Amino acid sequence: MTESKKIWMDGKLVEWGEANVHIMTHALHYGLGVFEGVRCYATEGGGGAVFRLAEHTDRLFASAHIVMMDIPFTKEQVNDATIEVLQANGLTEGYIRPIVFLGAGSMGLLPKDNPVKVAIAAWEWGAYLGEDGLKNGIRVRVSSYLRHHVNSSMTKAKVTGSYVNSILAKREAVASGYDEAIMLDTEGYVSEGSGENIFMVKDGVIKTTALTSVLKGITRDTVMTILADKGCEVREERFTRDELYTADEAFFTGTAAEITPIREVDGRVIGTGKPGPVTTGVQETFFKAVKGQERRYESWLHRF
Ligand code: PPE
């Protein structure tokens, strides 16, 4: 089981084993919670650096705003609490999970007096799609489950309940022998992975899905900035599954997944079947940046 020592809950640190909620927690029944996934990395000096903490906290508050939940803390308090949790657990490298959810109070779909609860946990989490996946690429399938329609779930909010869709897709992909799922949007175009944004490269043109049905990924933004700084333009536009089948390169981006190359889609080998030069170039710069080895990206790091 995932475990570390302390969790920050509603303003103070508690023991891991005591960070519990009541069974009548509203979010448990109906899925109204918003969350983030943040990573921190060990740097050469021995300290840690949280990657783009301010942007993750901004998105947490934006998610809460979309679903009309008032977070009873300031952004600054959430940022400070994040560092406090990392230090209390002795972590310089790991994954951080802030979550905001409706607690116990009234039941039903018009919750009135339910408290908005806030917790931040942190633990060690290695390569999300495996070390081999990170190095050599993964095999993915197009899911039979579609990504949310923009007027069904709120696709810009990282809402807990929306992830049932992701779990269904991920389970289906793994049960049928693949590593990860790619979901299409309700119009049939490529959307994103179960927990990742997607990029493809064809004849030197780099594309990523436009921000319609997909989460506004912070790693996606990071990759677009890195590519722009390398002089490469990224087109934000929709593309089809068969464009992906004939791509020279494809890769996923996400806080958990980092930059994971895709080597096969629905049994079609992508490019040479090995991570291509755009993918490996981005990976190299990304991993240097997160570890504090790229001066130009120092402003992305919250060192502690
Ligand atoms: N799309 C989805 C649906 C998504 O969940 C994520 C993050 C992204 C794109 C990429 O966003 P960003 O992390 O800002 O680059 N998924 C998180 C949850 C993974 C999990 O299994 O839990 C993550 O990567 O932390």
Side-chain angles (χ1 to χ4, degrees):
M1 187 186 142
T2 301
E3 204 167 312
S4 54
K5 294 184 207 118
K6 305 265 188 190
I7 291 186
W8 186 93
M9 265 183 109
D10 303 318
K12 60 177 197 300
L13 289 173
V14 296
E15 294 298 322
W16 182 276
E18 269 140 43
N20 302 316
V21 296
H22 197 274
I23 200 70
M24 296 304 274
T25 294
H26 194 275
L28 182 62
H29 296 254
Y30 306 113
L32 184 53
V34 295
F35 69 105
E36 271 303 315
V38 191
R39 267 193 196 269
C40 77
Y41 293 88
T43 62
E44 266 171 11
V50 183
F51 190 63
R52 304 193 74 175
L53 177 59
E55 288 88 339
H56 281 284
T57 303
D58 282 348
R59 191 172 63 187
L60 182 72
F61 277 73
S63 294
H65 175 78
I66 291 170
V67 299
M68 300 170 100
M69 277 200 300
D70 280 327
I71 301 182
F73 295 96
T74 63
K75 287 182 182 176
E76 202 180 5
Q77 285 173 314
V78 169
N79 291 343
D80 290 347
T82 303
I83 305 300
E84 208 182 320
V85 172
L86 289 168
Q87 286 173 338
N89 288 297
L91 290 169
T92 48
E93 192 150 292
Y95 188 83
I96 306 145
R97 166 57 50 81
I99 181 162
V100 178
F101 58 98
L102 276 195
S106 56
M107 288 301 265
L109 303 184
L110 196 60
K112 290 189 193 86
D113 53 351
N114 302 52
V116 175
K117 313 278 281 176
V118 184
I120 306 174
W123 64 90
E124 279 178 40
W125 210 7
Y128 187 63
L129 293 155
E131 281 297 335
D132 181 68
L134 211 52
K135 195 162 176 275
N136 300 313
I138 57 167
R139 299 173 54 251
V140 304
R141 66 162 280 179
V142 170
S143 183
S144 72
Y145 297 98
L146 298 182
R147 202 59 174 146
H148 301 287
H149 184 277
V150 289
N151 285 323
S152 166
S153 287
M154 296 293 100
T155 59
K156 297 296 161 289
K158 204 166 160 61
V159 175
T160 55
S162 304
Y163 281 79
V164 172
N165 175 248
S166 290
I167 292 172
L168 290 170
K170 178 81 184 190
R171 280 188 171 157
E172 177 190 56
V174 172
S176 52
Y178 294 86
D179 302 309
E180 183 54 291
I182 289 177
M183 278 176 286
L184 305 179
D185 65 22
T186 49
E187 288 181 74
Y189 293 88
V190 172
S191 166
E192 61 184 342
S194 67
E196 308 90 359
N197 291 114
I198 188 168
F199 285 71
M200 61 159 279
V201 186
K202 178 70 179 177
D203 296 333
V205 177
I206 309 169
K207 288 185 193 177
T208 189
T209 327
L211 291 175
T212 49
S213 62
V214 305
L215 187 73
K216 192 171 185 288
I218 291 163
T219 321
R220 174 186 183 277
D221 178 77
T222 300
V223 165
M224 287 175 70
T225 304
I226 289 172
L227 284 167
D229 290 344
K230 287 180 190 288
C232 304
E233 184 209 348
V234 179
R235 291 195 199 159
E236 295 179 75
E237 61 183 48
R238 57 190 191 179
F239 49 90
T240 59
R241 67 195 285 176
D242 53 2
E243 269 188 89
L244 201 54
Y245 292 161
T246 54
D248 300 324
E249 299 182 40
F251 58 91
F252 277 136
T253 66
T255 299
E258 300 166 311
I259 318 286
T260 301
I262 297 171
R263 65 179 165 90
E264 195 184 304
V265 181
D266 292 344
R268 281 82 164 177
V269 172
I270 302 302
T272 62
K274 296 202 161 46
V278 175
T279 310
T280 52
V282 167
Q283 264 188 334
E284 198 191 329
T285 308
F286 174 81
F287 283 111
K288 277 190 181 165
V290 297
K291 291 173 189 157
Q293 295 161 6
E294 284 278 350
R295 191 147 279 282
R296 75 192 300 179
Y297 302 127
E298 186 59 35
S299 67
W300 281 339
L301 308 186
H302 188 114
R303 291 180 184 261
F304 62 99

